[in-house]
């Protein structure tokens, strides 16, 4: 994936990925998956996606607990030096870009990420 792609992401959308990376580190995972992205969307409280998810009744701590249960809990491996995007998360990015294009928007925001996550049907999220 092209590194210039991030220039099209809003500050809030980039913050979602920062939160997702924190969640992956917290669980000592070597990847950022859709489940981490979902928590990131919930944690970014100023974006459209976070508001939608909270209106649907999702709570960050409850989603964290489900993610931990589904992923087997915190890994006891050595901490990872570099955390990569999972292939499914790369697909979410592609779908988010597609959603932005469908809306004739030249930027990708949290709502586009949420739509991409919903369209990408496999994964824990």
């Amino acid at each position: 994936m092209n590194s210039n792609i991030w220039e099209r992401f809003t500050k809030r959308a980039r913050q979602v990925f920062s939160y997702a990376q924190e969640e992956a580190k917290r669980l000592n995972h070597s990847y950022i998956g859709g489940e981490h992205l979902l928590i990131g969307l919930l944690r970014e409280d100023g974006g459209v996606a976070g508001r939608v998810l909270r209106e649907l009744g999702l709570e960050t701590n409850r989603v964290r607990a489900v993610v931990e249960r589904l992923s087997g809990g915190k890994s006891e491996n050595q901490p990872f030096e570099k955390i990569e995007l999972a292939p499914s998360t790369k697909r979410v990015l592609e779908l988010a870009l597609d959603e932005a294009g469908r809306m004739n928007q030249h930027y990708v925001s949290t709502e586009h990420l949420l739509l991409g996550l919903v369209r990408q049907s496999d994964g824990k999220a």
Side-chain angles (χ1 to χ4, degrees):
M1 195 160 269
N2 188 331
S3 63
N4 293 340
I5 193 173
W6 297 108
E7 293 173 5
R8 292 192 53 197
F9 284 68
T10 64
K11 183 178 178 182
R12 290 186 193 284
R14 288 191 306 265
Q15 185 63 52
V16 166
F17 275 92
S18 179
Y19 288 143
Q21 184 174 25
E22 286 177 15
E23 293 298 324
K25 283 182 180 177
R26 185 180 67 78
L27 293 169
N28 199 23
H29 291 166
S30 63
Y31 64 92
I32 295 173
E35 63 274 24
H36 305 115
L37 200 58
L38 178 60
I39 296 170
L41 286 166
L42 277 163
R43 285 183 59 191
E44 207 301 299
D45 57 4
V48 172
R51 288 196 309 263
V52 167
L53 291 169
R54 282 187 296 283
E55 285 205 19
L56 291 171
L58 274 72
E59 297 172 9
T60 304
N61 289 335
R62 289 179 63 198
V63 171
R64 272 189 185 129
V66 170
V67 167
E68 286 180 33
R69 190 175 71 242
L70 291 175
S71 66
K74 184 177 178 178
S75 171
E76 298 300 324
N77 295 332
Q78 286 286 92
F80 292 94
E81 292 293 318
K82 187 170 183 181
I83 298 175
E84 301 285 335
L85 293 179
S88 59
T89 305
K90 290 179 184 177
R91 180 72 180 135
V92 168
L93 290 178
E94 292 168 3
L95 293 168
L97 285 162
D98 181 62
E99 289 295 335
R102 286 176 181 220
M103 297 176 184
N104 293 320
Q105 297 173 330
H106 299 289
Y107 61 88
V108 175
S109 194
T110 63
E111 61 269 25
H112 305 119
L113 290 172
L114 179 58
L115 289 169
L117 192 61
V118 169
R119 281 180 58 193
Q120 200 287 344
S121 56
D122 25 319
K124 294 181 179 101

